[in-house]
Amino acid sequence: MAHPATSPSPAAALTGRMVWMASLSPREPLHAAGSVVHFPEGREIFAQGGENDMFFKVVSGVVRTCKFLNDGRRQIEAFYSEGEVFGFDLGSERQLSAEAVSECTLVAYRRASVEMLAQKDMTVGRQLFRYAMQAMTRAQEHALLLGRRGAAEKVAAFLLNLAEQSADHRNIALAMTRQDIGDFLGLTIETVSRTFSQLERDGMIELVSARLVRLRNPNALEELAA
Amino acid sequence: MAHPATSPSPAAALTGRMVWMASLSPREPLHAAGSVVHFPEGREIFAQGGENDMFFKVVSGVVRTCKFLNDGRRQIEAFYSEGEVFGFDLGSERQLSAEAVSECTLVAYRRASVEMLAQKDMTVGRQLFRYAMQAMTRAQEHALLLGRRGAAEKVAAFLLNLAEQSADHRNIALAMTRQDIGDFLGLTIETVSRTFSQLERDGMIELVSARLVRLRNPNALEELAA
DNA sequence: CGCTTAATTGATCAGGGTCAATCGTGGTGG
DNA sequence: CCACCACGATTGACCCTGATCAATTAAGCG
């Protein structure tokens, strides 16, 4: 609202193609309430200030959630990849926007439907509680990272986080741009780039390509990230 | 564990005097499960790594939750004052420590008891969920504050936060030291102090005393905090 | 094969950290 | 009651990390 350059389409979210009745994880009690949705790279999934009536689980691809400041600066709150849930928010208005970092497939759950479910099935309510707590823990760790750490420490911690949730714990495919990484870590693209280069010079990582990082010395990275 | 100077007593928490059967807010379904506890200034309420079996509501005084880095640096995650709930954590181990900023009175709830209650009373479960969501939102806003903002913006936002939860929205009594504020905002004591002085020179605030701030121009502060 | 956008690298600058001295205040004991 | 002490807060001088401005290189893509 406040800014022309930011938040592109006020409430024009959920324009992804929907396919009803997900056939994913049939054992999950939530599965009946979800519908599969698909978003192309860069598409907004929901907007800050928009209606808070759904949440999502990532099936494939990567999603970012972020806030925009009135001067155009952007803070990325988190990246979500396969199996993770996002879009929990207190109140009726979205505090964050969500966008597809890469082309991605999600399962969308209607809050109202899920809350109905939770009435009948205790485990659903407990699961929602766990999701909320996970989001809280993640946000707290993010705040810790942003608080009092240098550029190298931030980047090292970021890479290690990606590594541990990656299939191959050594080779990390970065779905996001340097700008995304910067906005997540509170750094500029230049500093992110320079830090990558420095870590490579120090033999800790190898930049196979701009978007593919190989960890050469994870222990040294751990030490850096502290 | 990792650091001698930090985390003073590993698991020596909850040494406050307990008084059973709180007579506070009798309409709250939780009240039966809570006991009143009292902590002197500076006392540890629970420790990072300790057992996660209770949570707390502040009756009076101020509490801080924080993490310690291996090099002794400290990040304060949040301050809690009257009416606020803290000590929610995922898993069986505490991710954070909690300490009394000032002498304070709390109500302590045993997780196990509360979860029993939640089985019988739907509203308890929903209330717990709301607490978790509030903690999440708070952590996200904190991360936003730490991400890409200058010292003046941080301090202004901090003061406005305190103001809106203070009885007198103009005169703010700071329960915490400059060190606490610095560790919360990711700044040094010197920078916090300098920023206060600068804001006073700019006519936005008045430092009645080191621990009592009067807002002279809240609008200008709002603009700064953006 | 250009065109566009992302990424890297360099040079310079400023905000905030660090080190150090001083001030102020509250508490204690003579 | 006042002198002293201890600790928090303030202020100053200087330095360093990361931001900014600018140019170049690399990589997709029509």
Side-chain angles (χ1 to χ4, degrees):
Chain A
M1 279 45 166
H3 286 277
T6 63
S7 40
S9 50
L14 294 175
T15 47
R17 192 168 44 84
M18 291 226 181
V19 182
W20 287 93
M21 202 42 235
S23 64
L24 302 150
S25 55
R27 298 219 251 146
E28 163 104 46
L30 280 174
H31 85 286
S35 56
V36 175
V37 286
H38 199 80
F39 290 90
E41 180 179 324
R43 175 69 54 83
E44 179 177 281
I45 297 166
F46 56 75
Q48 196 171 352
E51 197 187 358
N52 176 24
D53 58 346
M54 339 189 69
F55 63 92
F56 302 84
K57 177 180 276 192
V58 179
V59 176
S60 72
V62 176
V63 171
R64 63 174 174 251
T65 53
C66 48
K67 283 194 176 183
F68 295 96
L69 277 63
N70 52 12
D71 59 359
R73 284 177 299 185
R74 182 182 67 162
Q75 173 72 46
I76 292 183
E77 202 273 319
F79 295 107
Y80 297 91
S81 52
E82 186 175 338
E84 297 185 301
V85 173
F86 68 96
F88 276 91
D89 240 321
L90 196 57
S92 59
E93 275 203 3
R94 292 280 181 200
Q95 307 290 315
L96 303 163
S97 304
E99 297 160 0
V101 170
S102 62
E103 177 184 59
C104 62
T105 305
L106 314 173
V107 184
Y109 301 96
R110 302 210 139 273
R111 256 170 59 128
S113 312
V114 171
E115 279 168 19
M116 297 260 301
L117 258 186
Q119 300 277 353
K120 306 200 168 193
D121 187 343
M122 270 312 243
T123 65
V124 173
R126 297 186 70 80
Q127 184 62 358
L128 291 180
F129 185 72
R130 287 188 63 82
Y131 286 145
M133 292 293 283
Q134 276 167 14
M136 186 196 74
T137 301
R138 183 192 282 244
Q140 287 175 356
E141 278 165 9
H142 190 206
L144 182 66
L145 190 60
L146 292 177
R148 282 177 163 293
R149 302 179 102 107
E153 294 171 280
K154 288 180 179 178
V155 172
F158 174 71
L159 288 175
L160 289 169
N161 271 340
L162 287 186
E164 78 187 12
Q165 68 180 87
S166 169
D168 181 343
H169 290 215
R170 283 303 182 97
N171 298 307
I172 307 169
L174 300 172
M176 67 292 289
T177 66
R178 298 289 189 266
Q179 183 68 58
D180 285 334
I181 298 172
D183 288 346
F184 179 69
L185 297 176
L187 300 171
T188 59
I189 28 178
E190 293 94 330
T191 299
V192 173
S193 186
R194 269 188 262 272
T195 306
F196 274 134
S197 301
Q198 187 58 49
L199 291 178
E200 186 169 38
R201 254 173 258 127
D202 297 344
M204 297 190 187
I205 65 172
E206 177 190 347
L207 288 163
V208 180
S209 80
R211 298 295 190 93
L212 182 59
V213 181
R214 171 170 312 199
L215 305 191
R216 285 227 158 278
N217 190 346
N219 294 335
L221 281 176
E222 294 276 9
E223 179 134 357
L224 238 188
Chain B
M1 281 45 173
H3 286 277
T6 63
S7 40
S9 50
L14 293 175
T15 47
R17 193 169 43 84
M18 290 227 182
V19 182
W20 286 93
M21 201 45 232
S23 64
L24 302 149
S25 56
R27 298 220 252 145
E28 164 103 45
L30 279 175
H31 85 288
S35 58
V36 174
V37 286
H38 198 79
F39 290 91
E41 179 179 325
R43 176 69 54 83
E44 179 176 281
I45 298 165
F46 56 76
Q48 195 172 352
E51 197 186 357
N52 176 24
D53 58 346
M54 336 190 71
F55 62 92
F56 301 84
K57 177 180 275 191
V58 179
V59 176
S60 72
V62 176
V63 172
R64 63 173 173 252
T65 52
C66 48
K67 283 194 176 184
F68 295 96
L69 276 65
N70 50 13
D71 58 0
R73 285 179 298 187
R74 181 181 68 161
Q75 173 71 46
I76 292 184
E77 202 274 318
F79 295 108
Y80 297 90
S81 52
E82 185 175 339
E84 297 185 301
V85 174
F86 69 95
F88 277 91
D89 239 322
L90 196 57
S92 59
E93 274 202 4
R94 293 280 182 199
Q95 307 290 314
L96 302 163
S97 302
E99 297 160 1
V101 171
S102 62
E103 178 183 58
C104 62
T105 305
L106 314 173
V107 185
Y109 302 96
R110 302 211 139 274
R111 256 170 58 128
S113 313
V114 171
E115 279 168 18
M116 297 259 302
L117 259 186
Q119 301 275 353
K120 306 199 167 195
D121 187 345
M122 270 311 242
T123 66
V124 173
R126 297 187 70 80
Q127 185 63 351
L128 291 179
F129 186 70
R130 288 188 61 82
Y131 286 145
M133 292 293 283
Q134 275 166 15
M136 186 196 75
T137 301
R138 181 191 281 245
Q140 286 175 358
E141 278 164 8
H142 190 206
L144 182 65
L145 189 60
L146 293 176
R148 282 178 161 294
R149 303 177 102 108
E153 295 172 280
K154 288 180 179 178
V155 172
F158 175 70
L159 289 175
L160 289 169
N161 271 340
L162 286 186
E164 77 185 13
Q165 68 180 89
S166 168
D168 181 341
H169 291 214
R170 283 303 182 99
N171 298 310
I172 306 169
L174 299 172
M176 66 292 289
T177 66
R178 299 287 188 268
Q179 184 69 58
D180 285 334
I181 299 173
D183 288 345
F184 180 67
L185 297 176
L187 300 171
T188 59
I189 24 179
E190 293 95 331
T191 299
V192 172
S193 187
R194 270 189 262 272
T195 305
F196 273 135
S197 301
Q198 187 58 48
L199 291 178
E200 186 168 39
R201 255 174 256 125
D202 296 345
M204 297 190 187
I205 66 172
E206 178 191 346
L207 289 163
V208 180
S209 80
R211 298 295 189 92
L212 182 59
V213 181
R214 171 170 313 203
L215 305 190
R216 285 226 158 279
N217 190 348
N219 295 335
L221 281 176
E222 293 275 9
E223 179 134 357
L224 237 188

